[in-house]
Amino acid sequence: MSYGTALRDEVRSPGTTPLIGIYDMYSASVVARHYDGFFVSGFGFAASHYGLPDIGFIAWPDMVAFVERLRLAFPSHHLLVDIDDGYVDPEVACHVVQRLERIGASGVILEDQKRPRRCGHADGKQVLPLEEYLEKLNLVLESRRDLVVVARTDATEESDILRRAEALAETDADVVLVDGVRSVEWIKRIRKVVGDKPLLFNQIAGGKSPRLSLSELTDLECQVAIYSTPCLFAAHAAIDSALTDLKRSDGRLPEFVASEGIGVQRSTELLEKNISRHHPAPEPTTV
């Protein structure tokens, strides 16, 4: 079975599939202990790899290289990859999609934003004309073999949101995402216009969408939930707190309790699990 088929089957299974945003290999190593699906977040990758905001700085070879490392260390996890606007050009988008499928990505998200792009929960987003986006999306769909493709709209005007969601649902995309949806009532309205097409919901701390549980999302008929930044923001808070305490204690490390804290041994044991010889050989993907 290919990685695309495995994720597609998971999406079609009962309940809402959670995919957790990771931003580097270490965060992925921790997430892998709790969940079997990753979301390769553009926000997190831009922050971690470049130290820059999610406004279009990502170069596609960097993203492809990161996904390749992830797949080697985590041969059984779902990998849904944020490719933003396909790096502007439709030919580039198709090339990246084929590269990602060959190295074992499970799926991609392609948005309809135009440059300068923004995080899906930020103000100031602009979208391509629908026909232009659909042309790019259909080229990507023709380029993939089995890869899951999520069609995403960042429309903000109410009539345009529904028009685009309906148009995306009529394509061969596997899943539809309306990013920055502001209420449960709007999720219900979008659900109606996309018919039986699987729906993805994205929630982010401090973002525009409501905080909903997986059970609530299942009741709303959202088949997938991505959690873009909880690991990134938790790391930010923990590092800031640890260094504040270190400064306050004049540089003396806190007392270490092996059963409670993270030290050299536990960290090394976590990372040793990623060495490829410790993994059973995965079934070959069909591409």
Side-chain angles (χ1 to χ4, degrees), residues 16-65:
T16 301
T17 298
L19 300 173
I20 308 301
I22 50 92
Y23 58 89
D24 65 2
M25 295 299 295
Y26 201 97
S27 64
S29 302
V30 177
V31 170
R33 299 176 59 210
H34 300 274
Y35 291 90
D36 60 7
F38 297 149
F39 171 52
V40 186
S41 161
F43 188 110
F45 187 72
S48 177
H49 195 75
Y50 304 102
L52 294 170
D54 184 23
I55 56 174
F57 285 107
I58 295 174
W60 69 261
D62 293 336
M63 180 61 85
V64 169

Side-chain angles (χ1 to χ4, degrees), residues 81-157:
V81 183
D82 184 1
I83 61 168
D84 296 337
D85 56 0
Y87 310 101
V88 184
D89 188 275
E91 293 293 349
V92 175
C94 294
H95 179 75
V96 171
V97 162
Q98 291 181 335
R99 286 283 299 272
L100 287 170
E101 184 161 16
R102 288 192 181 102
I103 62 176
S106 308
V108 297
I109 299 179
L110 179 71
E111 68 189 35
D112 63 356
Q113 284 198 54
K114 65 180 180 180
R115 301 287 172 123
R117 69 168 307 281
R118 296 286 183 267
C119 166
H121 288 251
D123 295 326
K125 296 188 298 181
Q126 302 177 73
V127 292
L128 294 167
L130 178 58
E131 295 72 20
E132 185 176 341
Y133 171 69
L134 289 176
E135 181 179 0
K136 183 190 297 185
L137 174 63
N138 285 321
L139 286 171
V140 163
L141 291 168
E142 292 171 5
S143 299
R144 61 94 185 256
R145 295 192 179 181
D146 187 62
L147 194 76
V148 170
V149 174
V150 179
R152 163 180 157 178
T153 181
D154 282 84
T156 56
E157 296 181 6

Side-chain angles (χ1 to χ4, degrees), residues 113 118-125 154-156 161 178-184 186-187 201-212 229 233:
Q113 284 198 54
R118 296 286 183 267
C119 166
H121 288 251
D123 295 326
K125 296 188 298 181
D154 282 84
T156 56
I161 290 172
V178 177
D179 211 8
V181 61
R182 295 171 182 265
S183 68
V184 167
W186 263 98
I187 296 174
F201 180 72
N202 178 26
Q203 53 188 336
I204 180 172
K208 298 182 182 298
S209 297
R211 295 184 305 114
L212 298 171
T229 57
F233 294 166

